[in-house]
Amino acid sequence: MTKETYMYDLATIGAWLEFAVRWLHVITAIAWIGSSFYFIALDLGLHRDRNLASGADGEEWQVHGGGFYHIQKYLVAPEQMPSDLVWFKWESYWTWISGFMLLILVYYFGNEFYLIDPNVMDLKGWQAIGISVLSLGFGWVAYDYLCKSKLGESTTGLMILLYLVLVGMAYFYTSVFSGRAALLHLGAFTATIMSANVAMIIIPNQKVVVADLIAGRKPDPKYGKIAKQRSTHNNYLTLPVIFMMLSNHYPLAFASEYNWIIASLVFLMGVTIRHFFNSMHARKGRPYWAWAATAIIFIIIMGLSTAPLWKEGEDTITTGSLNRFIETEHYAEVENIVRGRCSMCHNEDPFYDGILWAPKGVRLDSQAHIVRNARAIYLQAGVSHAMPPASMSQITEDERALIRDWFEAANG
């Protein structure tokens, strides 16, 4: 076996390992989010105005899959410990474990491509990884401290303070990592808090209640109250985490100079969306204004993603013919830029060290390939700074501007 064959096989195994872990991450995340959303909706929708013979706090009848379900919730615990109690915890644990494995495989092993951007902060690999790990730990410690402090007694005050912490972390991450890694880490930061809520607070509190039941003691209701507070926080944080995890596929979200503001606004959208569903499930009406507010915030995010490129009287970009791209004044210069700055990786036979095939199968090594991917080149290297990763090929701002002028001229 030649060295080239060995490296190719190793890279192939690594790629499939990453795919397998990503698949596991998606599967467990769906299970966790699904059960979380279901139980929040169930709790909000319980009929608590009925005097139940069982002593339960509330009940609800549901229909699904051709059958009827009669569900009751006890405010603290039933009189006797059930023999077949079902716990919901492994979904959360494995979502975090698989997510951290992905962080290692993609961002730690590929730190020079995805984690570090010398234009933001010139870090060594071990420094960037250290900041990553320590920041995730800091997130849980700070959050847990705030929840257990006097401030934690005020639901609204605590939520506002926690939001300010997230805004601060958004600014911090975008000041030390690449845009792609910054938003991803903000998602990981938040997901770590959510998963730790389950592992460190919710499940232990439930175990205390179970132990009291087994011992014949009356459980203290404070444990359920604390667990519900953390569960509510998780409910409002879920959608922003999903956005952050998806953002690494969309340069307009992470490669803008206003990416930290975009990230901060995403958390507000998480609140407005969940407010609508929580109100609906609690039978308190359907506040459609929440969707209007979400749409307004999203439009602001869209604007911020391209704010540096606003031009007076600029026309909307449309899809032009291939010939128009080639016949524009700057095409020859743009082709030289793309071949010099991008095609070392995006090539049939990449010659950048460590790259064995064109990323995502995108090739930019011929006129036809360049023109076919014109819009992607414009968005990722012209409008945003997503490519080349961390500007590793030393692309200049003038070259990025030339790419923008070329694409816009072809669609003018």
Side-chain angles (χ1 to χ4, degrees):
M1 178 184 294
T2 65
K3 180 180 179 181
E4 289 75 13
T5 302
Y6 172 77
M7 291 300 296
Y8 188 88
D9 290 343
L10 190 63
T12 301
I13 293 172
W16 276 109
L17 176 61
E18 179 187 326
F19 191 178
V21 174
R22 191 179 299 275
W23 192 24
L24 173 64
H25 187 54
V26 171
I27 292 171
T28 53
I30 290 173
W32 182 19
I33 295 168
S35 62
S36 174
F37 280 8
Y38 171 74
F39 279 107
I40 287 291
L42 174 63
D43 187 73
L44 290 170
L46 287 171
H47 293 279
R48 292 183 166 86
D49 54 350
R50 301 171 182 176
N51 187 17
L52 303 176
S54 63
D57 176 56
E59 68 171 357
E60 187 171 60
W61 284 88
Q62 299 182 355
V63 59
H64 182 75
F68 292 86
Y69 297 81
H70 183 205
I71 303 166
Q72 295 185 336
K73 177 188 176 180
Y74 292 81
L75 188 60
V76 180
E79 292 184 1
Q80 295 182 345
M81 176 65 187
S83 59
D84 54 351
L85 187 63
V86 177
W87 294 81
F88 291 86
K89 56 183 180 178
W90 294 110
E91 302 92 336
S92 166
Y93 299 168
W94 276 102
T95 297
W96 189 88
I97 291 170
S98 58
F100 191 70
M101 290 170 64
L102 269 179
L103 191 64
I104 293 172
L105 291 172
V106 178
Y107 287 88
Y108 292 178
F109 286 163
N111 62 81
E112 65 174 323
F113 290 104
Y114 303 116
L115 187 57
I116 301 170
D117 184 347
N119 294 320
V120 177
M121 184 174 288
D122 194 7
L123 298 168
K124 297 184 184 298
W126 67 269
Q127 293 174 323
I129 294 171
I131 292 173
S132 170
V133 174
L134 290 175
S135 67
L136 298 183
F138 162 78
W140 166 247
V141 172
Y143 164 82
D144 189 53
Y145 173 80
L146 291 174
C147 288
K148 292 177 178 178
S149 69
K150 286 291 184 180
L151 294 170
E153 298 175 3
S154 170
T155 301
T156 302
L158 179 61
M159 291 295 285
I160 293 174
L161 185 58
L162 292 176
Y163 176 70
L164 293 177
V165 170
L166 291 170
V167 173
M169 290 306 300
Y171 186 79
F172 169 75
Y173 278 134
T174 56
S175 299
V176 296
F177 293 147
S178 69
R180 183 194 303 268
L183 264 63
L184 189 284
H185 270 76
L186 188 60
F189 177 91
T190 309
T192 298
I193 290 174
M194 294 171 62
S195 190
N197 269 339
V198 176
M200 307 296 288
I201 300 296
I202 297 174
I203 295 300
N205 281 15
Q206 289 175 342
K207 287 185 176 181
V208 170
V209 173
V210 169
D212 284 342
L213 283 175
I214 294 175
R217 297 187 297 268
K218 184 178 180 180
D220 190 331
K222 73 175 184 179
Y223 294 107
K225 182 180 179 180
I226 294 171
K228 185 176 180 179
Q229 180 195 51
R230 302 300 182 96
S231 182
T232 301
H233 290 172
N234 283 5
N235 178 248
Y236 282 101
L237 293 173
T238 299
L239 296 181
V241 169
I242 295 174
F243 184 100
M244 300 304 169
M245 296 309 173
L246 293 175
S247 70
N248 68 98
H249 300 288
Y250 296 91
L252 286 176
F254 68 76
S256 165
E257 65 181 281
Y258 300 112
N259 48 13
W260 70 275
I261 301 178
I262 290 174
S264 301
L265 292 175
V266 167
F267 283 97
L268 295 182
M269 288 198 297
V271 171
T272 54
I273 294 173
R274 287 312 304 166
H275 176 71
F276 174 85
F277 285 106
N278 290 344
S279 297
M280 180 179 69
H281 293 144
R283 302 184 185 90
K284 294 181 178 179
R286 302 189 178 193
Y288 290 107
W289 64 262
W291 286 111
T294 302
I296 291 171
I297 296 172
F298 196 80
I299 290 171
I300 293 173
I301 288 174
M302 291 171 61
L304 288 172
S305 70
T306 57
L309 305 177
W310 290 343
K311 297 179 181 178
E312 186 176 353
E314 184 177 15
D315 295 329
T316 301
I317 297 173
T318 60
T319 303
S321 65
L322 298 183
N323 286 337
R324 290 178 62 186
F325 282 104
I326 298 173
E327 293 170 358
T328 56
E329 178 184 357
H330 300 297
Y331 174 74
E333 295 171 276
V334 169
E335 181 176 343
N336 287 334
I337 293 170
V338 173
R339 286 181 179 273
R341 308 298 192 188
C342 310
S343 65
M344 70 281 290
C345 296
H346 292 281
N347 200 299
E348 182 179 9
D349 185 20
F351 48 90
Y352 193 94
D353 187 35
I355 303 294
L356 300 180
W357 52 71
K360 296 187 177 181
V362 176
R363 289 172 53 189
L364 302 173
D365 51 1
S366 70
Q367 186 179 82
H369 287 138
I370 292 172
V371 172
R372 188 176 296 120
N373 292 284
R375 184 173 182 274
I377 294 170
Y378 170 75
L379 290 175
Q380 301 213 30
V383 174
S384 73
H385 289 67
M387 291 291 166
S391 298
M392 294 186 68
S393 60
Q394 306 300 313
I395 188 171
T396 68
E397 289 302 318
D398 288 341
E399 290 171 333
R400 293 186 189 277
L402 205 58
I403 290 173
R404 295 196 297 267
D405 292 342
W406 161 66
F407 187 84
E408 291 166 7
N411 289 279

